[in-house]
Amino acid sequence: MKNKQVKLSKYNNDWYTAGSTSKKLIWYFVNIFIFKAMIPLSSSLKVKILKIFGSKIGTGVVIKPNVSIKYPWFLSIGDNCWIGEDVWIDNLAQVTIGDNVCLSQGSYLLTGSHNYKEESFDLIIGPIILEDGVWIGAKAIVCPGIICKTHSILSVGSIATKNLEANVIYQGNPAIWKRERRIDE
């Protein structure tokens, strides 16, 4: 039995629409000059701009320099969240972030990939949900379609390929259950 081969010439993602060309173009430049800039602009300015572009954002949100957001109109952030330096929110699909969530430096929320089973290598997308109190560690990656349940932790450099259960610390590639998360009173 001979395996089929990938034929990128057959790739077609015409089904996917993320907004008008002009909207995406304007956002591209805003993202580069405001969000990806290393200049420490105020979080309140960044929040206002995200809201103009359709994000739903709560109060007390901190957005550090050099953050990249693919499409703000597919982004919802709750109250008192921290978005660290070099975070990449690659949201081809909806990303929903609850209250009191921390995205540490260099973390990556990835909502798109490719179907390796198809010769056309088609685009596949899946939303990401980070429930209240989640902490995504530095350089950690959350893959498409993942739900990180309340107060779960994805530790430094780990990759979430499956949903994370509530109040559990995960580590590794792929991330596996390590121990319960306990918050002292």
Side-chain angles (χ1 to χ4, degrees):
M1 176 179 184
K2 184 178 178 186
N3 280 337
K4 286 186 175 183
Q5 295 182 357
V6 171
K7 294 184 179 166
L8 294 178
S9 61
K10 291 187 173 190
Y11 178 79
N12 183 340
N13 70 340
D14 286 348
W15 61 269
Y16 179 76
T17 56
S20 71
T21 302
S22 58
K23 183 178 182 179
K24 290 187 292 187
L25 185 63
I26 293 167
W27 173 251
Y28 175 81
F29 288 105
V30 169
N31 192 42
I32 287 174
F33 293 113
I34 303 294
F35 289 85
K36 288 201 59 70
M38 289 304 293
I39 301 166
L41 299 171
S42 77
S43 292
S44 61
L45 172 65
K46 293 176 185 178
V47 165
K48 286 177 187 172
I49 292 169
L50 285 171
K51 286 180 177 180
I52 289 169
F53 278 90
S55 293
K56 294 177 180 79
I57 311 238
T59 60
V61 173
V62 174
I63 303 171
K64 294 291 188 171
N66 202 30
V67 169
S68 183
I69 299 167
K70 178 72 92 179
Y71 299 129
W73 44 93
F74 295 146
L75 180 62
S76 176
I77 302 174
D79 296 335
N80 305 308
C81 293
W82 299 345
I83 313 294
E85 291 93 347
D86 301 318
V87 166
W88 185 2
I89 301 175
D90 193 12
N91 56 335
L92 297 169
Q94 182 67 36
V95 169
T96 303
I97 299 171
D99 297 337
N100 301 298
V101 171
C102 178
L103 299 176
S104 291
Q105 300 87 340
S107 59
Y108 184 19
L109 305 182
L110 173 66
T111 61
S113 189
H114 296 277
N115 188 345
Y116 65 88
K117 295 179 183 177
E118 297 290 329
E119 69 177 351
S120 57
F121 207 54
D122 295 332
L123 175 68
I124 53 177
I125 60 174
I128 291 174
I129 298 172
L130 307 180
E131 294 181 354
D132 295 349
V134 166
W135 178 15
I136 305 299
K139 301 287 185 178
I141 300 171
V142 179
C143 291
I146 298 299
I147 299 171
C148 298
K149 295 185 180 172
T150 185
H151 293 85
S152 58
I153 295 175
L154 182 63
S155 64
V156 172
S158 297
I159 301 177
T161 58
K162 295 180 184 172
N163 292 343
L164 306 186
E165 294 303 316
N167 301 299
V168 174
I169 299 170
Y170 289 83
Q171 182 180 31
N173 177 13
I176 59 171
W177 187 100
K178 282 299 183 180
R179 64 186 168 278
E180 281 187 42
R181 178 184 188 183
R182 293 195 178 112
I183 299 174
D184 295 333
E185 293 184 35

